Amino acid sequence: MSAVNINSANFSMEVMNSDRPVLLDFWAPWCGPCRMVAPIVEEIAEERPDLKVGKVNVDEQPELARQFGVSSIPTLVVMKEGKIVNQAMGARPKSQILALL
């Protein structure tokens, strides 16, 4: 399954009510490190059906970025049962992203 675009309209259904852990990637199209992380995040979405992977464009969804205290991108947030269980800022290799889960 590919990553889901998350916005304020679908956030509650896709993230808060998810029956699986959720990996959120906060990104922007102009962000170089975000473009480095994007294919890794998509790969994880394809390989891990036990996860839901969501992408939040901070330019289009500034209220969600504020809600999560995102001050630098890329920021990766792992949520389980509607609660943040892990968070990391900056580009990371796949092994470190998987370790967050």
Side-chain angles (χ1 to χ4, degrees):
M1 189 165 18
S2 60
V4 178
N5 284 318
I6 301 295
N7 56 48
S8 54
N10 70 2
F11 177 79
S12 183
M13 184 183 73
E14 294 287 352
V15 178
M16 299 306 283
N17 296 329
S18 177
D19 57 349
R20 298 175 283 170
V22 181
L23 172 63
L24 290 175
D25 174 19
F26 288 86
W27 69 286
W30 48 263
C31 165
C34 298
R35 287 195 300 268
M36 291 169 37
V37 168
I40 299 169
V41 169
E42 284 293 339
E43 200 173 287
I44 292 170
E46 294 294 330
E47 294 173 354
R48 297 283 305 265
D50 59 318
L51 292 175
K52 180 175 284 189
V53 178
K55 297 182 68 64
V56 181
N57 182 328
V58 298
D59 289 344
E60 295 174 357
Q61 302 298 322
E63 67 285 344
L64 283 179
R66 265 193 305 281
Q67 184 179 331
F68 281 85
V70 173
S71 58
S72 176
I73 52 175
T75 291
L76 299 169
V77 175
V78 179
M79 297 188 67
K80 291 182 183 168
E81 298 174 359
K83 295 179 177 46
I84 297 172
V85 295
N86 221 333
Q87 193 166 339
M89 286 190 302
R92 297 176 180 257
K94 186 176 180 180
S95 61
Q96 286 184 16
I97 295 172
L98 289 172
L100 294 171
L101 305 169

